Amino acid sequence: MKIAFLLNNAYGIGGTIRSVANLSGGLAARGHQVRVTSLYRHRDTTSFAFGPRVPIDTLIDQRPGSRDLELPEASAPSERLPHWRRGVSLLSDRRMADHLATLDADVVVSTRPTLSHYLGTLGAGRPYLRVGQEHSTLGRRHSAARRLQLSSVPLLDAFAPVSDADTAAYRAALPAVAERIVWIPNSSVPPAVAPSNGDSRVIVAAGRLVDQKRYDRLLDAFAQLTDEFPDWRLRIYGRGPLRDELRARVEHLGLWDRARLMGAVSPIETEWAKGSIAAVTSWWESFGLTIVEAMACGVPVVSTDCPTGPAEIITPGKDGLLVPEDGGPDAIAHGLRTLMVDDALRHRMGAAALETAKRYTPDVIARRYEELFARLGPRTRPARRGRLRRLLAGLRATPHAPAAKAMGQPPAAHAVARRDGALAVRVEPAARGDLVLRLRGAAKRTEVLVPLDRDGRTVITRDEHDLAEGRWDAFLAIAGPRRPRRVAARLVERAALVTARPAVAAGGVSVWIPYTTKDGNLTLRVWRRPAHAAVESVEITEEATAVTVTPLPAATTVTGAAARAEGGAPLALPVEPDGEGRLRIVLRHTLAARLAAAPAWRLRLTVPEEPPVPLGRLAGDTPDRRRTDVHPAIRRDGVELRLAFTIDNELTLVTAPSTTSA
């Protein structure tokens, strides 16, 4: 069967795009010919991975330099939706009309009100079934979108909301076509990462940074728990317009060392696996795809009980907890505390969550769509009935055989940082050869060759490979005249590193963190230091900033600390031992005027007859802490002081003129 999906912009982010990527891949794996049509395209690559058997067509190219941007129709109002402000134009009318008139498909699926309107009107009389999806809720649509959606549903052969409650709402609003409205939930691809072990003491939330998600309430709730649970941390993944507002709230609550805004990460499964609890604090959800994604990684979910979505997925007390949506931060804090305080309960719920997630795999949901298409078959035009029935009868539940490996297929790796400090790598397509680690920027080419087995696997251990400090880029070398090729990072698992400490041996301190570069390639970040001061916490009061560190190796004899500007004399800072092997370095804010003499100061411990020891956060699972470990600014005597991490994850003090004074 030929199935086509209509997306507004397959190159953006959001649950609609992610769910279509999942479902289209599931249908393709079951033997269907699936393609996606993106009305718009604003970037070169998609944020979410669509299956290799799912091509994406674009109707309007909005990338810089595109001729489509220069067409007068692109800025002219839509004639079919003249009062619609965003997302449609005269150009979209014409491009979509041409597309739907010539589309070779048995089923076309629309995913938002404007696309359902196009499909219902422009697709009328065409030789394909027309199916709409609802990825929001009827109650949350603004009035114009609600009217448009309700007027479009009767024009379609079927309409599929993603929640049972929303299905009931649509049926009540459209009783004349209630039989065409069918509940089919979203799907989630089973993760390729190892599930969480539930011991990380990390709470994870993920989604766009918008009001709907109510991350402000999550931060307020977490702030209630920090004194009781000092070893727990909160991570919020995503991007959106409220980032600065949430950052300010983190600072206001004093959570800069406990709660972090991690930015957008894709694929997100590697980050769910780092958590012990998932938090969903939305005041509304259409479905709750993040709930299923977290569960699929063995993470129990604490969620607000929205009118639609979470209650249809979570079985309270079994695989997660529901808290009253109107209970505010107190209710969220109570739900989180229930799991934070009880390790056994958390582990049991995590195991149950894995089973719950199996109900939402793409294969399971694809079958439900196949059943819907089969029921719609007799309602198609007589000329197509026999063909459609033959297509449905010929469906096979077995996935396609893997495509032949093209000679030019670029190598990609699934890398796993292990608890013993080693790095396990599997390169695909599998080939006999060597994984080459090449030190970036070295004056003389420095490489390490690690043989791959017949399945493209290898393990790089610290005992066998004494890697120098720097960034080691991964390449694949195969016997023959071809040069080694750069290895892309398909997945990089770092869950084992969340609570990892630096490795301490006779040669000093070392840390290995694999990561994905901005270009999507696999690189191993290595730190090697004879000594290191691991930053444990940063306390900021009105009078002073205190940095608590652990000197490594533990036998390091520290006599003091200093802030040193480039080319300047050091500024001595007092050091206070805490009696448990840690040191507390105190920076008095009365020094602001003296610190204004330089824009940046490196913080160091002083060791007799040895080089100064830098402060930093080298260990853990974060190769670059500049955007995640952010501390508030202190304003004093016309100077702004801020602790920040460098590209090397070393702690520095940055100064700038301030227009306000404390």
Side-chain angles (χ1 to χ4, degrees):
M1 176 177 285
K2 297 178 181 179
I3 304 170
F5 286 88
L6 304 181
L7 278 171
N8 191 64
N9 192 336
Y11 296 83
I13 62 172
T16 300
I17 303 167
R18 192 161 73 248
S19 65
V20 170
N22 295 343
L23 177 59
S24 61
L27 288 165
R30 291 184 58 77
H32 302 282
Q33 296 180 43
V34 185
R35 66 189 314 112
V36 170
T37 297
S38 181
L39 178 57
Y40 297 105
R41 178 178 185 176
H42 72 291
R43 53 182 293 186
D44 293 337
T45 59
T46 60
S47 297
F48 301 110
F50 287 78
R53 296 181 178 276
V54 181
I56 300 177
D57 302 316
T58 299
L59 300 187
I60 301 173
D61 191 345
Q62 294 184 323
R63 289 175 291 179
S66 168
R67 294 182 178 179
D68 287 345
L69 299 174
E70 302 172 1
L71 297 174
E73 300 98 314
S75 55
S78 166
E79 294 179 346
R80 293 189 167 274
L81 294 164
H83 303 297
W84 201 266
R85 294 182 179 179
R86 298 175 58 188
V88 293
S89 64
L90 181 57
L91 183 60
S92 70
D93 290 352
R94 294 177 178 178
R95 293 280 173 90
M96 188 60 74
D98 291 343
H99 179 67
L100 291 175
T102 58
L103 185 58
D104 180 19
D106 300 297
V107 182
V108 182
V109 182
S110 60
T111 55
R112 66 183 300 166
T114 52
L115 299 178
S116 291
H117 173 79
Y118 278 144
L119 180 60
T121 55
L122 299 174
R126 302 298 175 186
Y128 43 70
L129 294 172
R130 294 167 297 161
V131 178
Q133 290 181 337
E134 173 59 286
H135 289 276
S136 181
T137 67
L138 181 61
R140 294 309 315 162
R141 291 286 185 192
H142 62 75
S143 58
R146 189 181 306 119
R147 290 193 299 270
L148 182 62
Q149 192 81 298
L150 291 175
S151 67
S152 300
V153 172
L155 305 177
L156 304 173
D157 296 299
F159 186 71
V162 294
S163 77
D164 194 18
D166 203 43
T167 300
Y170 270 99
R171 287 173 175 169
L174 298 168
V177 293
E179 76 283 355
R180 300 187 204 174
I181 303 171
V182 182
W183 168 49
I184 305 180
N186 280 331
S187 64
S188 178
V189 176
V193 303
S196 167
N197 62 11
D199 294 329
S200 68
R201 301 295 194 267
V202 174
I203 301 167
V204 176
R208 292 201 69 219
L209 306 184
V210 293
D211 180 66
Q212 172 201 347
K213 302 300 182 181
R214 292 309 306 266
Y215 290 134
D216 57 331
R217 294 195 299 189
L218 176 57
L219 290 168
D220 291 348
F222 184 66
Q224 297 181 24
L225 301 168
T226 53
D227 288 343
E228 184 179 0
F229 301 96
D231 56 341
W232 281 79
R233 299 292 184 267
L234 170 64
R235 296 183 175 190
I236 300 175
Y237 292 87
R239 60 176 178 259
L242 296 187
R243 181 179 180 84
D244 291 344
E245 184 177 317
L246 293 172
R247 177 78 71 195
R249 198 173 197 89
V250 168
E251 294 184 2
H252 172 72
L253 295 169
L255 297 176
W256 51 82
D257 251 6
R258 304 290 299 277
R260 295 195 170 101
L261 304 180
M262 305 299 294
V265 176
S266 181
I268 191 64
E269 61 201 77
T270 56
E271 310 312 303
W272 287 122
K274 296 174 183 177
S276 289
I277 302 171
V280 176
T281 52
S282 308
W283 60 283
W284 72 271
E285 286 283 351
S286 58
F287 172 66
L289 188 57
T290 55
I291 296 174
V292 178
E293 291 176 337
M295 287 182 166
C297 293
V299 183
V301 182
V302 175
S303 174
T304 47
D305 191 5
C306 303
T308 60
E312 297 175 16
I313 303 170
I314 296 172
T315 302
K318 180 181 178 182
D319 48 25
L321 297 172
L322 293 171
V323 302
E325 191 279 322
D326 59 359
D330 292 347
I332 297 167
H334 177 73
L336 293 174
R337 186 187 186 282
T338 301
L339 293 185
M340 293 165 75
V341 76
D342 193 334
D343 293 353
L345 176 63
R346 197 168 63 247
H347 292 156
R348 285 199 305 273
M349 285 191 176
L354 287 169
E355 295 302 313
T356 298
K358 293 177 181 179
R359 303 200 301 256
Y360 302 95
T361 64
D363 183 73
V364 170
I365 303 305
R367 289 171 185 265
R368 293 183 64 165
Y369 272 96
E370 288 174 347
E371 292 168 1
L372 172 62
F373 301 155
R375 289 198 303 272
L376 295 175
R379 295 170 55 202
T380 59
R381 287 163 295 287
R384 298 187 69 250
R385 287 178 183 172
R387 178 170 175 255
L388 183 60
R389 286 170 179 165
R390 287 194 299 273
L391 285 166
L392 291 168
L395 295 178
R396 294 194 301 270
T398 56
H400 276 302
K405 296 171 182 174
M407 290 296 293
Q409 183 176 350
H414 182 164
V416 181
R418 301 197 326 193
R419 295 187 182 279
D420 61 3
L423 177 65
V425 180
R426 184 180 75 247
V427 178
E428 297 175 349
R432 288 289 186 130
D434 295 314
L435 180 71
V436 181
L437 296 181
R438 183 178 296 167
L439 183 59
R440 188 188 304 176
K444 181 179 180 181
R445 177 171 289 186
T446 304
E447 293 182 339
V448 170
L449 275 64
V450 187
L452 298 169
D453 66 16
R454 62 184 300 173
D455 296 321
R457 300 174 184 266
T458 191
V459 176
I460 308 166
T461 67
R462 295 171 185 268
D463 292 338
E464 294 179 293
H465 302 284
D466 188 20
L467 301 181
E469 174 154 343
R471 300 175 191 274
W472 293 79
D473 297 321
F475 295 80
L476 174 64
I478 300 175
R482 299 185 63 180
R483 294 181 177 180
R485 292 191 294 170
R486 195 70 168 89
V487 175
R490 177 164 294 149
L491 276 177
V492 180
E493 296 187 55
R494 298 193 296 259
L497 300 181
V498 171
T499 57
R501 304 292 294 174
V504 181
V509 176
S510 69
V511 172
W512 288 11
I513 305 180
Y515 71 99
T516 305
T517 69
K518 65 179 182 179
D519 298 319
N521 296 320
L522 177 63
T523 291
L524 179 64
R525 182 61 167 102
V526 175
W527 279 277
R528 288 288 302 273
R529 304 288 168 81
H532 166 60
V535 175
E536 309 292 354
S537 66
V538 175
E539 305 167 59
I540 300 176
T541 66
E542 185 176 344
E543 297 301 322
T545 294
V547 181
T548 299
V549 302
T550 299
L552 298 171
T556 301
T557 302
V558 178
T559 58
R564 181 187 292 271
E566 187 70 29
L571 179 63
L573 302 174
V575 173
E576 305 167 355
D578 71 350
E580 298 182 5
R582 295 184 293 266
L583 301 174
R584 192 167 181 266
I585 304 166
V586 181
L587 174 67
R588 298 288 177 187
H589 298 161
T590 53
L591 296 172
R594 294 180 62 185
L595 292 167
W601 298 75
R602 293 295 180 99
L603 304 181
R604 299 286 190 267
L605 294 180
T606 304
V607 180
E609 300 181 2
E610 296 289 344
V613 178
L615 281 59
R617 280 182 174 147
L618 307 184
D621 64 306
T622 306
D624 186 352
R625 295 183 177 271
R626 289 175 295 173
R627 293 178 178 84
T628 60
D629 296 30
V630 179
H631 301 97
I634 303 103
R635 295 174 179 86
R636 184 71 175 260
D637 300 332
V639 182
E640 180 180 285
L641 309 175
R642 186 189 295 272
L643 287 176
F645 285 92
T646 69
I647 192 172
D648 293 322
N649 284 0
E650 291 185 4
L651 193 62
T652 188
L653 179 68
V654 179
T655 72
S658 174
T659 56
T660 60
S661 298

